[in-house]
Each structure stands twice: as structure tokens, then as C-alpha cells.
Coordinates of all heavy atoms in Angstrom, one line a residue:
M1 N 2.3 -90.2 23.1 CA 2.6 -88.9 23.7 C 1.8 -88.8 25.0 O 0.7 -89.2 25.1 CB 2.2 -87.7 22.7 CG 3.0 -86.5 22.9 SD 2.4 -85.1 22.1 CE 2.3 -85.6 20.4
K2 N 2.4 -88.1 26.0 CA 1.8 -88.0 27.3 C 0.6 -87.0 27.2 O 0.7 -86.0 26.4 CB 2.8 -87.4 28.3 CG 3.6 -88.5 29.0 CD 4.3 -87.9 30.2 CE 5.2 -89.0 30.8 NZ 6.2 -88.3 31.7
K3 N -0.4 -87.2 28.0 CA -1.6 -86.4 28.0 C -1.3 -84.9 28.1 O -1.8 -84.1 27.4 CB -2.6 -86.9 29.1 CG -4.0 -86.7 28.6 CD -4.9 -87.4 29.7 CE -6.3 -87.1 29.4 NZ -7.2 -87.6 30.5
E4 N -0.4 -84.6 29.1 CA -0.1 -83.2 29.4 C 0.6 -82.5 28.2 O 0.3 -81.3 28.0 CB 0.9 -83.0 30.6 CG 0.4 -83.7 31.9 CD 0.8 -85.2 32.0 OE1 1.9 -85.4 32.4 OE2 0.0 -86.0 31.6
H5 N 1.4 -83.3 27.5 CA 2.0 -82.7 26.3 C 1.0 -82.4 25.2 O 1.1 -81.3 24.6 CB 3.1 -83.7 25.8 CG 4.3 -83.7 26.7 ND1 5.2 -84.8 26.6 CD2 4.7 -82.9 27.7 CE1 6.2 -84.5 27.5 NE2 5.9 -83.4 28.2
K6 N 0.0 -83.2 25.1 CA -1.0 -82.9 24.1 C -1.7 -81.7 24.4 O -2.0 -80.8 23.6 CB -2.0 -84.1 24.0 CG -1.6 -85.2 23.1 CD -2.8 -86.2 22.9 CE -2.4 -87.3 22.1 NZ -3.3 -88.4 22.2
R7 N -2.0 -81.5 25.7 CA -2.7 -80.3 26.2 C -1.8 -79.1 25.9 O -2.3 -78.0 25.5 CB -3.1 -80.4 27.7 CG -4.1 -79.4 28.1 CD -4.0 -79.1 29.6 NE -2.6 -78.9 30.0 CZ -2.1 -79.1 31.2 NH1 -2.9 -79.6 32.1 NH2 -0.9 -78.8 31.5
D8 N -0.6 -79.1 26.2 CA 0.3 -78.0 26.0 C 0.3 -77.6 24.5 O 0.3 -76.4 24.1 CB 1.8 -78.4 26.4 CG 1.9 -78.4 27.9 OD1 0.9 -78.0 28.6 OD2 2.9 -78.8 28.4
L9 N 0.4 -78.6 23.6 CA 0.4 -78.4 22.2 C -0.9 -77.7 21.7 O -0.8 -76.8 20.9 CB 0.7 -79.7 21.4 CG 2.1 -80.2 21.4 CD1 2.1 -81.5 20.7 CD2 3.1 -79.2 20.8
L10 N -2.0 -78.2 22.3 CA -3.3 -77.6 22.0 C -3.3 -76.1 22.4 O -3.7 -75.2 21.6 CB -4.4 -78.4 22.7 CG -5.8 -77.9 22.4 CD1 -6.1 -78.2 20.9 CD2 -6.8 -78.6 23.3
L11 N -2.8 -75.8 23.6 CA -2.8 -74.4 24.1 C -1.9 -73.6 23.2 O -2.3 -72.4 22.8 CB -2.3 -74.3 25.5 CG -3.3 -74.8 26.6 CD1 -2.6 -74.8 27.9 CD2 -4.5 -74.0 26.5
I12 N -0.8 -74.1 22.7 CA 0.1 -73.3 21.8 C -0.6 -73.1 20.5 O -0.6 -72.0 20.0 CB 1.4 -74.1 21.6 CG1 2.3 -74.1 22.9 CG2 2.2 -73.5 20.5 CD1 3.4 -75.1 22.9
A13 N -1.3 -74.1 20.0 CA -2.0 -74.0 18.7 C -3.1 -72.9 18.9 O -3.2 -72.0 18.0 CB -2.6 -75.3 18.3
I14 N -3.8 -72.9 20.0 CA -4.8 -71.9 20.2 C -4.2 -70.5 20.2 O -4.7 -69.5 19.6 CB -5.6 -72.2 21.5 CG1 -6.5 -73.4 21.3 CG2 -6.5 -71.0 21.8 CD1 -7.1 -73.9 22.6
G15 N -3.1 -70.4 20.9 CA -2.4 -69.1 21.0 C -2.0 -68.6 19.7 O -2.2 -67.4 19.4
I16 N -1.4 -69.4 18.9 CA -1.0 -69.0 17.5 C -2.2 -68.6 16.7 O -2.2 -67.6 16.0 CB -0.3 -70.2 16.8 CG1 1.1 -70.4 17.4 CG2 -0.1 -69.9 15.3 CD1 1.8 -71.7 17.0
G17 N -3.3 -69.3 16.9 CA -4.6 -69.0 16.2 C -5.0 -67.6 16.5 O -5.4 -66.8 15.6
I18 N -5.0 -67.3 17.8 CA -5.5 -65.9 18.2 C -4.6 -64.8 17.7 O -5.1 -63.8 17.1 CB -5.5 -65.9 19.8 CG1 -6.6 -66.7 20.3 CG2 -5.7 -64.4 20.2 CD1 -6.6 -66.9 21.8
V19 N -3.3 -65.1 17.7 CA -2.3 -64.0 17.2 C -2.6 -63.9 15.7 O -2.6 -62.7 15.2 CB -0.9 -64.5 17.5 CG1 0.1 -63.6 16.7 CG2 -0.6 -64.4 19.0
A20 N -2.7 -65.0 15.0 CA -3.0 -64.9 13.5 C -4.3 -64.1 13.2 O -4.3 -63.3 12.3 CB -3.1 -66.3 12.9
F21 N -5.3 -64.4 14.1 CA -6.6 -63.7 13.9 C -6.4 -62.2 14.0 O -6.9 -61.4 13.2 CB -7.6 -64.2 14.8 CG -8.9 -63.5 14.8 CD1 -9.8 -63.8 13.8 CD2 -9.2 -62.6 15.8 CE1 -11.0 -63.1 13.7 CE2 -10.4 -61.9 15.7 CZ -11.3 -62.2 14.7
L22 N -5.7 -61.8 15.1 CA -5.5 -60.4 15.4 C -4.7 -59.7 14.3 O -4.9 -58.6 13.9 CB -4.9 -60.1 16.7 CG -5.8 -60.5 17.9 CD1 -5.0 -60.4 19.2 CD2 -7.0 -59.6 18.0
W23 N -3.7 -60.4 13.8 CA -2.8 -60.0 12.8 C -3.6 -59.7 11.5 O -3.4 -58.7 10.8 CB -1.7 -61.0 12.5 CG -0.5 -60.5 11.8 CD1 -0.3 -60.6 10.5 CD2 0.6 -59.8 12.4 NE1 0.9 -60.1 10.2 CE2 1.4 -59.5 11.3 CE3 0.9 -59.4 13.7 CZ2 2.6 -58.9 11.5 CZ3 2.1 -58.7 13.8 CH2 2.9 -58.5 12.8
A24 N -4.5 -60.6 11.2 CA -5.3 -60.5 9.9 C -6.4 -59.5 10.0 O -6.9 -59.1 9.0 CB -5.8 -61.9 9.5
A25 N -6.8 -59.0 11.2 CA -7.9 -58.1 11.3 C -7.6 -56.9 10.5 O -6.5 -56.4 10.5 CB -8.1 -57.8 12.8
P26 N -8.7 -56.3 9.8 CA -8.4 -55.2 9.0 C -7.9 -54.0 9.8 O -8.3 -53.8 11.0 CB -9.8 -54.9 8.4 CG -10.8 -55.6 9.3 CD -10.1 -56.7 9.8
K27 N -7.1 -53.1 9.2 CA -6.6 -52.0 9.9 C -7.8 -51.0 10.1 O -8.7 -50.9 9.3 CB -5.6 -51.3 9.0 CG -4.7 -50.3 9.7 CD -3.5 -49.9 8.8 CE -2.9 -48.7 9.3 NZ -3.7 -47.5 9.1
E28 N -7.8 -50.4 11.3 CA -8.9 -49.4 11.6 C -8.8 -48.2 10.8 O -7.7 -47.5 10.9 CB -8.8 -49.1 13.1 CG -9.9 -48.2 13.6 CD -11.3 -48.7 13.3 OE1 -11.6 -49.8 13.8 OE2 -12.0 -48.1 12.6
T29 N -9.8 -47.9 9.9 CA -9.6 -46.7 9.0 C -10.7 -45.7 9.2 O -10.6 -44.6 8.7 CB -9.6 -47.2 7.5 OG1 -10.8 -48.0 7.3 CG2 -8.4 -48.0 7.2
T30 N -11.8 -46.1 9.9 CA -12.9 -45.1 10.0 C -12.4 -43.9 10.8 O -11.7 -44.1 11.8 CB -14.1 -45.8 10.7 OG1 -14.4 -47.0 10.0 CG2 -15.3 -44.9 10.7
T31 N -12.9 -42.7 10.4 CA -12.5 -41.5 11.0 C -12.7 -41.6 12.5 O -13.8 -42.0 12.9 CB -13.3 -40.3 10.5 OG1 -14.4 -40.7 9.8 CG2 -12.4 -39.4 9.7
H32 N -11.8 -41.1 13.3 CA -12.0 -41.0 14.7 C -12.9 -39.8 15.1 O -13.0 -38.9 14.3 CB -10.7 -40.9 15.5 CG -9.9 -42.2 15.5 ND1 -8.8 -42.4 16.3 CD2 -10.0 -43.3 14.7 CE1 -8.3 -43.6 16.1 NE2 -9.0 -44.2 15.1
M33 N -13.4 -39.8 16.2 CA -14.1 -38.6 16.7 C -13.1 -37.5 16.9 O -12.1 -37.8 17.6 CB -14.9 -38.9 18.0 CG -15.7 -37.6 18.4 SD -16.9 -38.0 19.7 CE -15.9 -38.0 21.2
P34 N -13.3 -36.3 16.3 CA -12.3 -35.3 16.4 C -12.1 -34.9 17.9 O -13.0 -35.0 18.7 CB -12.9 -34.1 15.6 CG -14.0 -34.7 14.8 CD -14.5 -35.9 15.5
T35 N -10.9 -34.4 18.2 CA -10.6 -33.8 19.5 C -10.6 -32.3 19.3 O -9.5 -31.7 19.4 CB -9.2 -34.3 20.0 OG1 -8.4 -34.7 18.9 CG2 -9.3 -35.4 21.0
D36 N -11.7 -31.7 19.0 CA -11.8 -30.3 18.9 C -12.7 -29.8 20.0 O -13.3 -30.6 20.8 CB -12.3 -29.9 17.5 CG -13.6 -30.5 17.1 OD1 -14.2 -31.2 18.0 OD2 -14.0 -30.4 16.0
D37 N -13.0 -28.5 20.1 CA -13.8 -27.9 21.2 C -15.2 -28.5 21.1 O -15.9 -28.7 22.1 CB -13.8 -26.4 21.1 CG -12.5 -25.8 21.6 OD1 -11.7 -26.5 22.2 OD2 -12.2 -24.7 21.2
T38 N -15.7 -28.7 19.9 CA -17.1 -29.3 19.7 C -17.2 -30.6 20.3 O -18.2 -30.9 21.0 CB -17.4 -29.4 18.2 OG1 -17.0 -28.2 17.5 CG2 -18.8 -29.7 18.0
H39 N -16.2 -31.5 20.2 CA -16.3 -32.8 20.6 C -15.7 -33.1 22.0 O -16.0 -34.2 22.6 CB -15.7 -33.8 19.6 CG -16.5 -33.7 18.3 ND1 -16.2 -32.8 17.3 CD2 -17.5 -34.5 17.8 CE1 -17.0 -33.0 16.3 NE2 -17.8 -34.0 16.6
R40 N -14.9 -32.2 22.5 CA -14.3 -32.4 23.8 C -15.3 -32.8 24.9 O -15.0 -33.7 25.7 CB -13.4 -31.2 24.2 CG -12.2 -31.7 25.0 CD -11.2 -30.5 25.3 NE -11.0 -29.5 24.2 CZ -10.2 -29.7 23.2 NH1 -9.5 -30.8 23.1 NH2 -10.1 -28.8 22.3
P41 N -16.4 -32.1 25.0 CA -17.4 -32.5 26.1 C -17.8 -34.0 26.0 O -18.0 -34.6 27.1 CB -18.6 -31.6 25.8 CG -18.1 -30.5 25.0 CD -16.9 -31.0 24.2
Y42 N -17.8 -34.6 24.8 CA -18.2 -36.0 24.7 C -17.1 -36.9 25.1 O -17.4 -38.0 25.6 CB -18.7 -36.2 23.3 CG -19.8 -35.2 23.0 CD1 -19.7 -34.1 22.2 CD2 -21.0 -35.4 23.7 CE1 -20.6 -33.2 22.1 CE2 -22.0 -34.4 23.6 CZ -21.8 -33.3 22.8 OH -22.8 -32.3 22.7
Y43 N -15.8 -36.5 25.0 CA -14.7 -37.3 25.5 C -14.9 -37.3 27.1 O -14.7 -38.4 27.7 CB -13.4 -36.7 25.2 CG -12.9 -37.0 23.8 CD1 -13.2 -36.3 22.7 CD2 -12.1 -38.2 23.7 CE1 -12.8 -36.7 21.4 CE2 -11.6 -38.5 22.4 CZ -12.0 -37.8 21.3 OH -11.5 -38.2 20.1
E44 N -15.3 -36.2 27.6 CA -15.4 -36.2 29.1 C -16.6 -37.0 29.5 O -16.6 -37.7 30.5 CB -15.6 -34.7 29.6 CG -14.3 -34.0 29.6 CD -14.5 -32.4 29.7 OE1 -15.5 -32.0 30.1 OE2 -13.6 -31.7 29.2
L45 N -17.7 -37.0 28.7 CA -18.9 -37.7 29.0 C -18.6 -39.2 29.0 O -19.1 -40.0 29.8 CB -20.0 -37.3 28.1 CG -21.4 -37.7 28.5 CD1 -21.8 -37.1 29.9 CD2 -22.4 -37.1 27.5
V46 N -17.8 -39.6 28.0 CA -17.4 -41.0 27.9 C -16.7 -41.5 29.1 O -16.9 -42.5 29.7 CB -16.6 -41.3 26.6 CG1 -16.0 -42.7 26.6 CG2 -17.4 -41.1 25.3
Q47 N -15.8 -40.6 29.6 CA -15.0 -40.9 30.8 C -15.9 -41.1 32.0 O -15.8 -42.0 32.8 CB -14.0 -39.8 31.1 CG -12.9 -39.6 30.1 CD -11.8 -40.5 30.3 OE1 -11.2 -40.5 31.4 NE2 -11.4 -41.3 29.3
K48 N -16.9 -40.2 32.1 CA -17.7 -40.1 33.3 C -18.8 -41.1 33.2 O -19.1 -41.8 34.2 CB -18.3 -38.7 33.5 CG -17.3 -37.7 33.9 CD -18.0 -36.5 34.5 CE -17.2 -35.2 34.4 NZ -17.8 -34.2 33.5
E49 N -19.5 -41.2 32.1 CA -20.8 -42.0 32.1 C -20.8 -43.1 31.0 O -21.8 -43.8 30.9 CB -22.0 -41.1 31.9 CG -22.2 -40.1 33.0 CD -23.3 -39.1 32.8 OE1 -24.3 -39.5 32.1 OE2 -23.1 -38.0 33.2
G50 N -19.7 -43.2 30.2 CA -19.7 -44.2 29.2 C -20.1 -43.8 27.8 O -20.6 -42.7 27.6
K51 N -19.8 -44.7 26.9 CA -20.0 -44.4 25.4 C -21.5 -44.2 25.1 O -21.8 -43.3 24.4 CB -19.4 -45.5 24.6 CG -17.9 -45.5 24.6 CD -17.4 -46.5 23.7 CE -15.8 -46.5 23.7 NZ -15.2 -47.6 22.9
K52 N -22.3 -45.0 25.7 CA -23.8 -44.9 25.4 C -24.3 -43.5 25.7 O -25.1 -42.9 25.0 CB -24.6 -46.0 26.0 CG -24.6 -47.3 25.2 CD -25.7 -48.2 25.8 CE -25.8 -49.4 24.8 NZ -26.5 -50.5 25.4
A53 N -23.9 -43.0 26.9 CA -24.3 -41.7 27.3 C -23.9 -40.6 26.3 O -24.7 -39.7 26.0 CB -23.8 -41.4 28.7
A54 N -22.7 -40.7 25.8 CA -22.1 -39.7 24.9 C -22.9 -39.8 23.6 O -23.3 -38.8 23.0 CB -20.6 -39.9 24.7
E55 N -23.1 -41.1 23.1 CA -23.7 -41.3 21.8 C -25.1 -40.7 21.7 O -25.6 -40.4 20.6 CB -23.8 -42.8 21.5 CG -22.4 -43.3 21.0 CD -22.4 -44.9 21.1 OE1 -23.2 -45.4 21.8 OE2 -21.4 -45.4 20.6
A56 N -25.8 -40.6 22.9 CA -27.1 -40.1 22.9 C -27.1 -38.6 22.3 O -28.2 -38.2 21.9 CB -27.7 -40.1 24.3
H57 N -26.0 -37.9 22.3 CA -25.9 -36.5 21.9 C -25.5 -36.3 20.4 O -25.7 -35.3 19.9 CB -25.0 -35.7 22.8 CG -25.5 -35.7 24.2 ND1 -26.5 -34.8 24.7 CD2 -25.1 -36.5 25.3 CE1 -26.7 -35.0 25.9 NE2 -25.9 -36.0 26.4
C58 N -24.9 -37.3 19.8 CA -24.3 -37.1 18.5 C -25.3 -36.6 17.5 O -25.0 -35.7 16.7 CB -23.7 -38.4 18.0 SG -22.6 -39.3 19.1
E59 N -26.5 -37.1 17.5 CA -27.4 -36.8 16.5 C -28.1 -35.4 16.7 O -28.9 -35.0 15.9 CB -28.4 -37.9 16.2 CG -27.7 -39.1 15.5 CD -28.6 -40.3 15.3 OE1 -29.3 -40.3 14.3 OE2 -28.6 -41.2 16.1
E60 N -27.7 -34.8 17.8 CA -28.2 -33.4 18.0 C -27.6 -32.5 16.9 O -28.2 -31.5 16.4 CB -27.8 -32.8 19.4 CG -28.5 -33.5 20.5 CD -27.9 -33.2 21.9 OE1 -27.0 -32.3 22.0 OE2 -28.3 -33.9 22.8
C61 N -26.4 -32.8 16.4 CA -25.7 -32.1 15.3 C -25.6 -32.9 14.1 O -25.8 -32.4 13.0 CB -24.3 -31.7 15.7 SG -24.3 -30.7 17.2
H62 N -25.4 -34.2 14.2 CA -25.2 -35.0 13.1 C -26.6 -35.6 12.6 O -27.0 -36.6 13.2 CB -24.3 -36.2 13.4 CG -22.9 -35.8 13.6 ND1 -22.0 -35.5 12.6 CD2 -22.2 -35.4 14.8 CE1 -20.8 -35.1 13.1 NE2 -20.9 -35.1 14.4
N63 N -27.2 -34.8 11.8 CA -28.5 -35.2 11.3 C -28.7 -34.5 9.9 O -27.9 -33.8 9.5 CB -29.6 -34.8 12.3 CG -29.6 -33.3 12.6 OD1 -29.6 -32.5 11.7 ND2 -29.5 -33.0 13.9
D64 N -29.9 -34.8 9.3 CA -30.1 -34.3 7.9 C -30.1 -32.7 7.8 O -29.8 -32.2 6.8 CB -31.5 -34.8 7.4 CG -31.4 -36.3 7.2 OD1 -30.3 -36.8 7.1 OD2 -32.5 -36.9 7.0
Q65 N -30.4 -32.1 8.9 CA -30.4 -30.6 8.9 C -29.1 -30.0 9.3 O -28.8 -28.8 9.1 CB -31.5 -30.1 9.9 CG -32.9 -30.1 9.3 CD -33.5 -31.5 9.3 OE1 -33.4 -32.2 10.4 NE2 -34.1 -32.0 8.2
G66 N -28.3 -30.8 10.0 CA -27.1 -30.3 10.6 C -25.9 -30.7 9.8 O -25.7 -30.4 8.6
V67 N -24.9 -31.4 10.5 CA -23.8 -32.0 9.8 C -24.3 -33.3 9.2 O -24.5 -34.3 9.8 CB -22.7 -32.3 10.9 CG1 -21.4 -32.7 10.1 CG2 -22.4 -31.1 11.8
V68 N -24.5 -33.2 7.9 CA -25.1 -34.4 7.2 C -24.1 -35.5 7.1 O -22.9 -35.3 7.0 CB -25.7 -34.0 5.8 CG1 -26.9 -33.1 5.9 CG2 -24.6 -33.4 4.9
F69 N -24.6 -36.7 7.1 CA -23.8 -37.9 7.0 C -23.5 -38.1 5.5 O -24.2 -37.7 4.6 CB -24.6 -39.1 7.5 CG -24.8 -39.1 8.9 CD1 -26.0 -38.7 9.5 CD2 -23.8 -39.6 9.8 CE1 -26.2 -38.7 10.8 CE2 -24.0 -39.6 11.2 CZ -25.2 -39.1 11.7
P70 N -22.4 -38.8 5.2 CA -22.1 -39.1 3.8 C -23.3 -40.0 3.3 O -23.9 -40.7 4.1 CB -20.8 -40.0 3.9 CG -20.2 -39.6 5.2 CD -21.3 -39.2 6.1
K71 N -23.5 -39.9 2.0 CA -24.7 -40.6 1.4 C -24.7 -42.1 1.7 O -25.8 -42.7 2.0 CB -24.7 -40.3 -0.1 CG -26.1 -40.5 -0.7 CD -26.2 -39.8 -2.0 CE -25.5 -40.5 -3.2 NZ -24.1 -40.2 -3.4
D72 N -23.6 -42.7 1.7 CA -23.5 -44.2 1.8 C -23.1 -44.6 3.3 O -22.5 -45.6 3.5 CB -22.5 -44.8 0.8 CG -21.1 -44.1 0.9 OD1 -21.0 -43.0 1.7 OD2 -20.2 -44.5 0.3
H73 N -23.5 -43.7 4.2 CA -23.1 -44.0 5.6 C -23.8 -45.3 6.1 O -25.0 -45.5 5.8 CB -23.5 -42.9 6.5 CG -22.9 -43.0 7.9 ND1 -23.4 -43.8 8.9 CD2 -21.8 -42.4 8.4 CE1 -22.6 -43.7 9.9 NE2 -21.6 -42.8 9.7
P74 N -23.1 -46.2 6.8 CA -23.7 -47.4 7.3 C -24.7 -47.1 8.4 O -24.8 -46.0 8.9 CB -22.5 -48.2 7.8 CG -21.4 -47.3 8.0 CD -21.7 -46.1 7.1
P75 N -25.5 -48.1 8.9 CA -26.4 -47.9 10.0 C -25.8 -47.3 11.2 O -24.6 -47.6 11.5 CB -26.9 -49.3 10.3 CG -26.7 -50.1 9.1 CD -25.5 -49.5 8.4
K76 N -26.5 -46.3 11.8 CA -25.8 -45.4 12.7 C -25.9 -45.7 14.2 O -25.4 -44.9 15.0 CB -26.3 -44.0 12.4 CG -26.0 -43.5 11.0 CD -26.4 -42.0 10.8 CE -27.8 -41.8 10.4 NZ -28.1 -42.4 9.1
L77 N -26.5 -46.8 14.5 CA -26.5 -47.1 16.0 C -25.0 -47.2 16.5 O -24.2 -47.7 15.8 CB -27.2 -48.4 16.2 CG -28.5 -48.6 15.6 CD1 -28.6 -49.9 14.9 CD2 -29.6 -48.6 16.7
R78 N -24.8 -46.7 17.7 CA -23.5 -46.9 18.3 C -22.4 -46.2 17.5 O -21.4 -46.9 17.1 CB -23.2 -48.4 18.6 CG -24.2 -49.2 19.4 CD -24.5 -48.7 20.7 NE -23.4 -48.1 21.5 CZ -22.7 -48.8 22.4 NH1 -23.0 -50.1 22.6 NH2 -21.7 -48.3 23.0
C79 N -22.4 -44.9 17.4 CA -21.4 -44.2 16.7 C -20.0 -44.6 17.1 O -19.1 -44.7 16.2 CB -21.5 -42.7 17.0 SG -23.2 -42.0 16.9
L80 N -19.8 -44.7 18.4 CA -18.4 -44.8 18.9 C -17.9 -46.2 18.7 O -16.7 -46.5 19.0 CB -18.3 -44.4 20.3 CG -18.6 -42.9 20.5 CD1 -18.6 -42.5 22.0 CD2 -17.6 -42.0 19.7
F81 N -18.7 -47.1 18.3 CA -18.3 -48.5 18.0 C -17.4 -48.4 16.7 O -16.4 -49.2 16.6 CB -19.5 -49.4 17.7 CG -19.2 -50.8 17.6 CD1 -18.9 -51.6 18.8 CD2 -19.1 -51.5 16.4 CE1 -18.5 -52.9 18.7 CE2 -18.8 -52.8 16.3 CZ -18.5 -53.5 17.5
C82 N -17.7 -47.6 15.8 CA -17.0 -47.4 14.6 C -16.0 -46.2 14.6 O -14.9 -46.3 14.2 CB -17.9 -47.3 13.4 SG -19.0 -48.7 13.1
H83 N -16.5 -45.1 15.1 CA -15.7 -43.9 15.2 C -15.0 -43.9 16.5 O -15.6 -43.5 17.5 CB -16.5 -42.6 15.0 CG -17.2 -42.6 13.6 ND1 -16.5 -42.2 12.5 CD2 -18.5 -42.9 13.2 CE1 -17.3 -42.3 11.4 NE2 -18.5 -42.7 11.9
K84 N -13.8 -44.4 16.5 CA -13.0 -44.5 17.8 C -12.6 -43.2 18.3 O -12.6 -42.2 17.6 CB -11.8 -45.4 17.6 CG -12.0 -46.7 16.9 CD -12.7 -47.7 17.9 CE -12.8 -49.1 17.3 NZ -13.9 -49.8 17.9
L85 N -12.3 -43.2 19.6 CA -11.8 -42.0 20.2 C -10.3 -41.8 20.0 O -9.6 -42.9 19.9 CB -12.0 -42.0 21.8 CG -13.5 -42.2 22.2 CD1 -13.5 -42.4 23.7 CD2 -14.3 -41.1 21.8
N86 N -9.9 -40.6 19.8 CA -8.4 -40.4 19.8 C -7.9 -40.6 21.2 O -8.6 -40.2 22.2 CB -8.1 -39.0 19.3 CG -8.5 -38.8 17.9 OD1 -8.2 -39.7 17.0 ND2 -9.1 -37.7 17.6
K87 N -6.7 -41.2 21.3 CA -6.2 -41.5 22.7 C -5.7 -40.2 23.3 O -5.2 -39.3 22.7 CB -5.1 -42.5 22.6 CG -5.6 -43.9 22.2 CD -6.2 -44.7 23.3 CE -7.3 -45.6 22.9 NZ -7.0 -46.4 21.7
Ligands
LIG101 C1 -22.5 -29.7 19.0 C2 -22.6 -30.4 17.7 C3 -21.9 -31.7 17.5 C4 -22.1 -32.8 18.3 C5 -23.0 -33.0 19.5 C6 -21.3 -33.9 17.8 N1 -20.6 -33.4 16.7 FE1 -19.4 -34.5 15.5 N2 -19.1 -32.9 14.3 C7 -19.7 -31.7 14.5 C8 -19.2 -30.8 13.4 C9 -19.6 -29.3 13.2 C10 -18.3 -31.5 12.6 C11 -17.5 -31.1 11.4 C12 -16.4 -30.2 11.7 C13 -15.4 -30.9 12.6 O1 -14.7 -31.8 12.2 O2 -15.4 -30.5 13.9 C14 -18.2 -32.9 13.2 C15 -17.5 -33.9 12.7 C16 -17.5 -35.2 13.2 C17 -16.8 -36.3 12.6 C18 -15.9 -36.3 11.3 C19 -14.6 -35.8 11.6 C20 -13.8 -35.7 10.3 O3 -12.5 -35.8 10.4 O4 -14.3 -35.6 9.2 C21 -17.0 -37.4 13.3 C22 -16.5 -38.8 13.1 C23 -17.9 -37.0 14.4 N3 -18.1 -35.7 14.3 C24 -18.4 -37.8 15.4 C25 -19.2 -37.4 16.4 C26 -19.7 -38.3 17.5 C27 -19.4 -39.8 17.6 C28 -20.5 -37.6 18.3 C29 -21.2 -38.0 19.5 C30 -20.4 -38.6 20.6 C31 -20.5 -36.2 17.8 N4 -19.7 -36.2 16.6 C32 -21.2 -35.2 18.3 C33 -20.6 -31.3 15.4 C34 -21.0 -32.1 16.5
LIG102 C1 -21.1 -49.4 11.4 C2 -20.0 -48.4 11.6 C3 -20.5 -46.9 11.8 C4 -21.3 -46.4 12.7 C5 -22.1 -47.2 13.8 C6 -21.3 -45.0 12.5 N1 -20.5 -44.6 11.5 FE1 -20.1 -42.7 10.8 N2 -19.0 -43.5 9.3 C7 -18.7 -44.8 9.1 C8 -17.9 -45.0 7.9 C9 -17.4 -46.3 7.3 C10 -17.8 -43.7 7.3 C11 -17.2 -43.4 6.0 C12 -16.0 -42.5 6.1 C13 -14.9 -43.0 7.0 O1 -14.3 -44.0 6.8 O2 -14.7 -42.4 8.1 C14 -18.5 -42.8 8.2 C15 -18.5 -41.4 8.1 C16 -19.0 -40.5 9.0 C17 -18.8 -39.1 9.0 C18 -18.1 -38.3 7.9 C19 -16.7 -38.4 8.2 C20 -15.8 -38.0 7.1 O3 -14.6 -38.3 7.1 O4 -16.3 -37.4 6.1 C21 -19.4 -38.6 10.1 C22 -19.5 -37.1 10.5 C23 -20.0 -39.7 10.9 N3 -19.7 -40.9 10.1 C24 -20.6 -39.6 12.1 C25 -21.3 -40.7 12.7 C26 -22.2 -40.5 13.8 C27 -22.5 -39.2 14.5 C28 -22.6 -41.8 14.1 C29 -23.7 -42.1 15.2 C30 -25.0 -41.4 15.1 C31 -22.0 -42.7 13.2 N4 -21.2 -42.0 12.4 C32 -22.1 -44.1 13.3 C33 -19.1 -45.9 10.0 C34 -19.9 -45.8 11.0

């Protein structure tokens, strides 16, 4: 087989691999950040200054005294990594 053909087949194989990987990825099920009046400012902050800037505020309300987390909540760094924004 010609060298170029081998390379083409390799690229096709890699392409199929990537598609298969994305296909198999688990469906996103974690609750999104609500689009209500409480959270709207943070959508704006994400737009203006990025996710990290917005996440700095989440625990002002989401804490043991406020809106408590579910008991089995995973480690909470980077809220928006798991709780996606509504489009
Ligand atoms: C000013 C207080 C406040 C701040 C700041 C805040 N939240 Fe909330 N959040 C609430 C309240 C109150 C609820 C429960 C009622 C509701 O759904 O609005 C809630 C609910 C949620 C829920 C669950 C929604 C559901 O469907 O059960 C998620 C996820 C969430 N917030 C994510 C975030 C993230 C991420 C941030 C930071 C970017 C954030 N919140 C900042 C007050 C706040
Ligand atoms: C590693 C992923 C991850 C991170 C990071 C994370 N969470 Fe969660 N959170 C979850 C999962 C999983 C649940 C369980 C319920 C679900 O599927 O939404 C949950 C539940 C919640 C709930 C209750 C939602 C409901 O439907 O009852 C709130 C509120 C919440 N998280 C807020 C936050 C906030 C605020 C932060 C950042 C301080 C944060 N989470 C960081 C994965 C994450």
C-alpha cells in the first residue's frame, strides 16, 4: 500500500475513534444553573468576566446556613464545571 493511503486510513480511524468516544460519553444530567432572577446576575458575570469570577459568589448563598447542598454532594470546586449554564 502507498504511504499516503496508510496515512489517510489512519486519519479516518482516528476520526471514527473520536466520534465513538463522544457518542459513548454519558448524557449530561447534573442540574443546570437556574435562569431565575437570583441567578441571572451570574449569567451576566460569566459573559463579562468568565466562570471563575461567577463561581466566587455561589457559596455566598450555597452553604450550610443558606441553600444547603445535598448530603452526598461531590467536591464543590468549580460549580459551573458540573452545573452547566442554560443556553
Ligand atoms: C443570592 C443567592 C444565590 C447565589 C449567589 C447563587 N444561588 Fe444558586 N440557588 C439559590 C437559591 C435560593 C436556590 C433554590 C431556589 C432556586 O432554584 O432558585 C438555588 C438553586 C440552585 C441550583 C439548583 C437548581 C435546581 O433546579 O434545583 C443550582 C444548580 C444553583 N443554584 C447553582 C448556583 C451556582 C453555580 C451559583 C454561582 C454561579 C449560584 N447558584 C449562586 C440562591 C443563590
Ligand atoms: C463534580 C461536580 C459538581 C460540582 C463541582 C458541583 N456540583 Fe452541585 N451537584 C452535583 C451533583 C452530581 C448533584 C446531585 C444532583 C444533580 O444531579 O443535580 C449536585 C447538586 C447540587 C444542588 C442541588 C440541586 C438539586 O437538584 O437538588 C445544588 C444547589 C448544587 N449542586 C450547587 C452547587 C454549587 C453552588 C457548586 C459550587 C460551590 C456545586 N454545586 C459544585 C455536582 C457538582
Side-chain angles (χ1 to χ4, degrees):
M1 210 190 304
K2 275 192 182 163
K3 214 172 173 189
E4 304 86 85
H5 288 162
K6 273 192 184 163
R7 194 203 50 204
D8 288 352
L9 285 177
L10 185 66
L11 287 176
I12 291 167
I14 290 170
I16 291 171
I18 290 170
V19 170
F21 174 77
L22 291 174
W23 197 262
K27 197 168 164 289
E28 181 58 60
T29 54
T30 307
T31 16
H32 287 199
M33 183 166 80
T35 21
D36 54 11
D37 288 341
T38 311
H39 296 89
R40 214 174 320 278
Y42 304 104
Y43 277 87
E44 283 162 26
L45 200 55
V46 170
Q47 294 276 307
K48 286 198 206 116
E49 295 175 35
K51 290 184 179 173
K52 275 195 173 165
E55 283 163 345
H57 297 280
C58 308
E59 285 177 89
E60 289 167 12
C61 302
H62 292 276
N63 57 52
D64 291 345
Q65 281 77 46
V67 187
V68 293
F69 292 98
K71 204 163 71 269
D72 52 354
H73 194 280
K76 296 188 273 295
L77 306 131
R78 307 298 324 264
C79 316
L80 297 177
F81 190 76
C82 299
H83 298 283
K84 304 289 186 207
L85 301 175
N86 292 316
K87 294 278 149 46

